Amino acid sequence: MSSSDAAFEAEYSSARSTLSAQLAAVLALGVLLLAVLGVLQGYLARSFRRILNPGVLAATVCTLIAVILGSQMLSASADHLRVARHDAFDSVVALSRAIAYDANADESRYLLDPRRRDRYEESFLAKSQQLYGLKGATLSTYDDELAATWQAYRAGHRDLRFTGEFRRELDNITFPGERTAAERTVDTYAVYQRDDRRIRELPAADKEREAVAFCMDWAPGTSNAHFGAWMATLDQVVGIDRGQFTFSVEAGRSAVNGLLPWAGGLPCAAMVLAASGLRPRPAEFRQRSASRASSRSRERWTRRRVVSLMAWAS
C-alpha cells in the first residue's frame, strides 16, 4: 500500500502542476486577447467615427466567457483532484487492513511458537503503535493509556497524546458520517487489544488450550469475533471514503466534459465574429479614400479654374 500511495502521490503532484500551469496560461492568454480586442475596438472607433463595432464587441464577450469557463473548469478539476487524493484516498491508506492482519497473525504465532514469543510480542506491539501510537507504552500499559487518551480525545478532539494511522484518519475527517464510523473503529480496536492481554495471560496460568480457543475461535465473545467486528467498522469508514473518491473522480470528469466544449468553442466563435465585424471595414476604408481623392481632385480643378478666370479678367 505504501508503494501505491507513493506512486499515486507522484501522479497527483504532476497533475496538480499541470492544472496550475494550464490555468495560468488560460488567464494570461485571455487577458492578452481581451487587450488586443480592446485596442482594436478603440482603433475602429477613431478611424471610422463609430462608438462600437458589433462584431468585435461580440468577440470580446465570447472571449471573456471562454476565459471564465476555462478557469472554472481547471479550478474545479484541481479541487476534485485534491478531494480524491487527500480527503478520500489518504483515509483509505491510513485504514489499510494489512497492518491489522499482520498484528492478528503475530498474535496467533505467539501461541503456536512458544520459543519465539518475545519476538512476536514485540512485533504485535510495534504494529499496535503504528495504528494507535502511544509514546513509551508497553503491552502492560497500552490498554490504560489507550483508554485515557481516547477518552480525552472524545471530549474535545484536541488531545495530541496519540499518533499513528488512526490519528491520521481522525485528523482528516471530511465527509458526512465519517467521524462516527472512525470513532467506532477505535472503540472496537480497544476491545480487540484487551482480548490480546487475556490471550497472553492464559498461557502464563498454564491454560494453553483455553488461550488457543479464545484466540482462534470465531464464536461470539472470542478474540477473532472482536477482530471481525473491528474489521467491519473499519470497512464502513473505508466505504465512505471510497465512495467519495469515486464521486470526486466522476465530478471532475463531468466538469471537464460539461465546460470544455464551451471553453473551446467560444474562442472559435470569437474569431468568426471579429472577422465578420472587420470584413466591411476595408471596403469602407477604400470608399473613404476614393471620396477623399475625388474631393482633392475637385479642389485642384476649382483652383485651376479660379486662376484661369482671374488671368482672363486681368
Side-chain angles (χ1 to χ4, degrees), residues 30-218:
V31 171
L32 178 62
L33 289 175
L34 290 172
V36 169
L37 290 170
V39 170
L40 179 60
Q41 188 74 264
Y43 169 77
L44 293 174
R46 291 191 303 271
S47 300
F48 298 96
R49 298 178 182 178
R50 293 179 180 175
I51 298 175
L52 293 173
N53 181 287
V56 176
L57 178 61
T60 302
V61 173
C62 287
T63 301
L64 179 60
I65 295 174
V67 172
I68 294 173
L69 292 180
S71 301
Q72 182 180 354
M73 178 189 70
L74 294 171
S75 297
S77 297
D79 186 59
H80 289 307
L81 182 63
R82 179 194 59 77
V83 171
R85 172 63 183 102
H86 289 300
D87 293 345
F89 192 77
D90 275 1
S91 294
V92 173
V93 172
L95 298 174
S96 169
R97 280 172 164 242
I99 300 175
Y101 275 104
D102 282 348
N104 197 46
D106 284 334
E107 196 175 57
S108 299
R109 295 188 192 103
Y110 175 88
L111 294 174
L112 299 175
D113 189 1
R115 292 179 298 177
R116 296 184 176 88
R117 281 181 174 172
D118 290 344
R119 179 187 304 176
Y120 297 132
E121 189 173 274
E122 291 175 2
S123 180
F124 181 88
L125 177 61
K127 293 179 177 67
S128 299
Q129 293 281 28
Q130 283 183 263
L131 293 170
Y132 194 104
L134 295 166
K135 186 176 180 179
T138 63
L139 285 180
S140 61
T141 64
Y142 191 89
D143 291 343
D144 291 338
E145 293 187 34
L146 188 156
T149 56
W150 185 235
Q151 183 179 5
Y153 177 83
R154 292 290 291 269
H157 300 158
R158 295 181 180 179
D159 189 88
L160 302 176
R161 288 178 291 171
F162 70 94
T163 58
E165 298 301 334
F166 283 129
R167 186 61 193 237
R168 179 179 173 185
E169 161 60 10
L170 290 165
D171 287 343
N172 193 41
I173 297 296
T174 310
F175 309 116
E178 187 178 6
R179 178 172 295 282
T180 300
E183 292 180 352
R184 191 181 300 120
T185 299
V186 179
D187 290 335
T188 55
Y189 168 77
V191 174
Y192 173 75
Q193 283 289 332
R194 290 195 295 271
D195 287 346
D196 176 79
R197 310 309 170 254
R198 182 180 177 187
I199 291 170
R200 300 180 197 281
E201 291 169 357
L202 288 171
D206 294 328
K207 296 180 179 181
E208 294 279 350
R209 187 180 297 275
E210 290 88 338
V212 171
F214 182 72
C215 177
M216 299 184 182
D217 198 354
W218 286 90

